[in-house]
């Protein structure tokens, strides 16, 4: 069942489906006709948390919206096509999710997408800054390690920057870590919770298996293989799709999980925690993903890295130079824009 996006609430990183009466979130998806956008819009349409779904793309949104609008759930659905319709798509939104952009093909890194996606993200987030400056902005478009600094700089340019409301969606790394650990240990994946910190590319993806609930132990060689698989899981999908794109269905699931957590917290639910790539003071990287306590206004508290193993400390040290370079590239891109 689609509503099985809900996970049981027991450990710190658990989330659950809201039963709040304030289920009136107005959510926009930008890039809604794409491989991620369509199944993500379906999951959002299926949720009682969402009352209005606005779908923007440069192609096919009338069809996607007409199709989804026939589903017998409460959210109204409307499609918006082309830049002149973008303002109306955004006005009044509480949450904007952005999977617009090109995906990887075999042999490409996420950074290879920078040239195309940086412009797309800068353009779309400039429209958000103008038309829904108070909304929570969730960026899926890669390279996330650069598209979040891009979004922050764009919001700064418009004088509406709030670091508590801009999120790089790294949830798929957590979802994968949970699935892979459960597979190895014969556990129910819905009951496994592995925080994944750092960034969202290769070795910047840092799974904290030492903080997994329930507690799991692996011999070092198996742990190294597991971590390598989590870090390269996106590439596993890119290779298997053989030129037809990157992860879309699992990403849609992960994006929906993140949006539902955010909306639950905005509705006043307490104890909602998700990892996300955000403005951070936890390391000397200006942006870093760690578990975040979410609240009515976005990030309520950064829960930090916590107690980690020497192996995990080493992974962080090795990730920081690459993360810093990706962040700088994003910041400089916006500074160089006219
Ligand atoms: N954060 C993650 O974990 C994660 C995981 C998988 C993929 N991604 C990224 O998500 C992005 C989308 O992937 P996909 O598989 O859905 O790609 P896709 O090509 O299937 O879809 C992208 C959509 O964006 C639209 N688009 C392009 N330019 C646009 C613009 N200026 N305004 C609005 N829409 C525009 C396209 O028309 C298309 O419908 C890629 O950058 C990919 O790398 C991120």
């Amino acid at each position: 069942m689609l509503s099985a996006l809900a996970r049981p609430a027991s450990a710190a990183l658990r989330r659950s489906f809201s039963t709040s009466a304030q289920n009136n979130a107005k959510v926009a998806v930008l890039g809604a006709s794409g491989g991620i956008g369509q199944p993500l819009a379906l999951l959002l349409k299926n949720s009682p948390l969402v009352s209005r779904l606005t779908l923007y793309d440069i192609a096919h949104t009338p069809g996607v919206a007409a199709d989804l609008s026939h589903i017998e759930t409460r959210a109204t659905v409307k499609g918006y096509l082309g830049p002149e319709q973008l303002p109306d798509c955004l006005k009044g939104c509480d949450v904007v999710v952005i999977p617009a952009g090109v995906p990887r093909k075999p042999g490409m890194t996420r950074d290879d997408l920078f040239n195309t996606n940086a412009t797309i993200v800068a353009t779309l987030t400039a429209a958000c800054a103008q038309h829904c400056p108070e909304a929570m902005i969730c960026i899926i478009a890669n390279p996330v390690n650069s598209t979040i600094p891009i979004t922050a700089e764009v919001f700064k340019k418009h004088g509406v920057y709030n670091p508590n409301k801009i999120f790089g969606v790294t949830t798929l790394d957590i979802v994968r870590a949970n699935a892979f650990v459960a597979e190895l240990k014969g556990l129910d994946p819905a009951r496994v919770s592995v925080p994944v910190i750092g960034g969202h590319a290769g070795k910047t993806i840092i799974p904290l298996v030492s903080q997994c609930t329930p507690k799991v132990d692996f011999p070092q060689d198996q742990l190294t293989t597991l971590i390598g698989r989590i870090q390269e899981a996106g590439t596993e999908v890119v290779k298997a799709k053989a030129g037809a794109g990157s992860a879309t269905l699992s990403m849609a699931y992960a994006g929906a999980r993140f949006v539902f957590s955010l909306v639950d917290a905005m509705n006043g639910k307490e104890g909602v925690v998700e990892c996300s790539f955000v403005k951070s003071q936890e390391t000397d990287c200006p942006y870093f993903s760690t578990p975040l306590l979410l609240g009515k206004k976005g990030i309520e508290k950064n829960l930090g890295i916590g107690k980690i193993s020497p192996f995990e400390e080493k992974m962080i040290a090795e990730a920081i130079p690459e993360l810093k370079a990706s962040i700088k590239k994003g910041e400089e891109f916006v500074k160089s824009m006219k």
Side-chain angles (χ1 to χ4, degrees):
M1 261 178 44
L2 291 174
S3 59
L5 274 180
R7 293 161 61 81
S10 55
L13 287 178
R14 299 272 187 246
R15 60 168 309 283
S16 69
F17 208 66
S18 174
T19 51
S20 158
Q22 305 164 279
N23 295 336
N24 283 317
K26 297 180 180 63
V27 182
V29 180
L30 313 186
S33 306
I36 296 168
Q38 290 201 39
L40 174 60
L42 172 63
L43 294 169
L44 295 170
K45 170 65 176 146
N46 189 55
S47 169
L49 291 173
V50 179
S51 65
R52 191 189 83 181
L53 191 55
T54 52
L55 305 176
Y56 174 77
D57 204 297
I58 49 171
H60 309 308
T61 36
V64 175
D67 192 356
L68 284 174
S69 71
H70 292 182
I71 293 174
E72 52 176 357
T73 55
R74 191 171 61 107
T76 60
V77 184
K78 194 163 173 203
Y80 298 81
L81 189 68
E84 59 291 344
Q85 296 189 0
L86 181 55
D88 284 339
C89 174
L90 296 173
K91 280 174 196 160
C93 276
D94 303 306
V95 179
V96 181
V97 200
I98 309 187
V102 289
R104 284 191 290 161
K105 292 208 158 44
M108 288 173 90
T109 67
R110 291 178 179 87
D111 191 56
D112 293 333
L113 304 173
F114 185 93
N115 289 342
T116 314
N117 289 356
T119 307
I120 294 174
V121 170
T123 309
L124 294 176
T125 54
C128 295
Q130 281 174 277
H131 301 291
C132 55
E134 294 295 321
M136 306 287 170
I137 310 293
C138 309
I139 307 286
I140 292 174
N142 272 317
V144 167
N145 293 354
S146 299
T147 53
I148 286 304
I150 288 174
T151 304
E153 291 304 312
V154 166
F155 269 67
K156 281 181 204 168
K157 266 195 175 178
H158 285 82
V160 291
Y161 178 50
N162 180 345
N164 294 328
K165 293 186 170 185
I166 294 176
F167 301 92
V169 182
T170 59
T171 319
L172 182 53
D173 301 319
I174 290 94
V175 165
R176 286 167 168 158
N178 294 344
F180 299 166
V181 166
E183 190 182 310
L184 286 171
K185 292 290 182 191
L187 297 166
D188 173 1
R191 299 193 170 277
V192 175
S193 183
V194 183
V196 181
I197 66 165
H200 176 67
K203 68 178 181 201
T204 72
I205 297 169
I206 305 166
L208 299 181
V209 178
S210 71
Q211 291 182 9
C212 177
T213 46
K215 187 152 177 40
V216 289
D217 280 310
F218 294 99
Q220 186 58 43
D221 58 338
Q222 205 184 0
L223 181 64
T224 305
T225 306
L226 168 66
I227 285 168
R229 184 173 180 217
I230 297 166
Q231 291 174 330
E232 292 305 319
T235 307
E236 193 179 300
V237 177
V238 170
K239 278 190 188 151
K241 290 197 174 179
S246 58
T248 54
L249 303 172
S250 51
M251 181 60 241
Y253 168 91
R257 167 179 153 169
F258 187 77
V259 170
F260 296 152
S261 289
L262 206 50
V263 173
D264 274 342
M266 289 162 77
N267 284 343
K269 184 172 175 179
E270 291 185 2
V272 180
V273 176
E274 289 284 353
C275 294
S276 177
F277 188 66
V278 296
K279 184 84 180 113
S280 170
Q281 280 152 13
E282 299 305 312
T283 65
D284 61 346
C285 265
Y287 298 84
F288 201 84
S289 175
T290 43
L292 308 168
L293 178 66
L294 301 173
K296 289 185 178 175
K297 294 177 180 169
I299 302 172
E300 197 163 293
K301 190 176 178 209
N302 193 320
L303 301 179
I305 295 171
K307 191 170 176 292
I308 57 174
S309 70
F311 178 63
E312 291 161 347
E313 261 171 41
K314 190 164 160 274
M315 283 198 287
I316 294 176
E318 285 171 0
I320 282 183
E322 181 180 329
L323 263 178
K324 280 185 175 169
S326 301
I327 291 165
K328 194 160 172 241
K329 193 170 170 182
E331 289 175 339
E332 284 180 355
F333 174 79
V334 179
K335 284 180 188 139
S336 71
M337 282 169 71
K338 291 192 192 87

